[in-house]
Amino acid sequence: MTDDFAPTLAAAYHGLIIAMMAKVAECGFKDMTPAFAKLMPLLDPTGKGSRARELAQRSGVTKQAMSQLVRELERRGYIEQIADPKDTRAKLVRLTVRGIELRAACARMRARLNQAVRRSLGPKRLKRLERDLQALSAAVGSAAARAG
């Protein structure tokens, strides 16, 4: 056992993303990428839309990276950009019908993966893992704040 948990945590996350991509591809969305998968839950499911700047903040990427991702998702038909009725200079990003279908497929696959993990670990171990990961996230955030 090593004191460096980061590679194990990264491997678990990478495995989750790879499994998610494979399952979503089985649903007919073969052009998905991990970046798209991370963004889908952040998109407003009500149809109102969100500004790209807000999406960038919530996902932890730069505005430039989000703009590029938005353009690519729009090109693939998952989202559209519309004028913001509150500010004509701004655009809102919202899901298209195809994007809503993709978001639903991602949610179904995430639920299936959660069930598989629950079966594998059992409810008590899974709950303990969730608490441990929340504590880890808080500790890392705290250490980063002190260092910065």
Side-chain angles (χ1 to χ4, degrees), residues 4-126:
D4 188 3
F5 65 88
T8 304
L9 189 60
Y13 178 72
H14 182 71
L16 180 66
I17 293 296
I18 295 301
M20 183 74 166
M21 295 296 95
K23 295 292 185 189
V24 171
E26 289 173 10
C27 294
F29 299 99
K30 298 184 184 336
D31 59 349
M32 278 291 292
T33 70
F36 295 171
K38 288 192 281 188
L39 180 60
M40 292 313 288
L42 301 177
L43 293 169
D44 180 9
T46 67
K48 293 178 187 173
S50 304
R51 290 185 180 182
R53 175 179 36 92
E54 295 165 355
L55 294 171
Q57 289 172 341
R58 290 197 319 235
S59 65
V61 301
T62 64
K63 287 191 309 186
Q64 293 80 8
M66 183 55 64
S67 293
Q68 184 177 359
L69 185 57
V70 164
R71 281 193 304 275
E72 189 57 32
L73 282 166
E74 186 174 35
R75 188 180 72 73
R76 295 180 189 203
Y78 293 114
I79 61 168
E80 62 185 352
Q81 294 187 73
I82 60 166
D84 184 340
K86 296 178 183 174
D87 181 354
T88 56
R89 297 168 296 166
K91 298 252 186 213
L92 295 176
V93 176
R94 72 177 181 189
L95 292 164
T96 61
V97 170
R98 181 168 162 79
I100 292 168
E101 292 168 355
L102 172 59
R103 192 173 197 277
C106 287
R108 285 192 309 273
M109 294 309 113
R110 181 179 248 127
R112 286 185 190 168
L113 290 170
N114 284 332
Q115 287 174 345
V117 169
R118 195 173 293 109
R119 279 193 306 271
S120 175
L121 295 179
K124 286 182 182 178
R125 286 178 60 201
L126 181 57

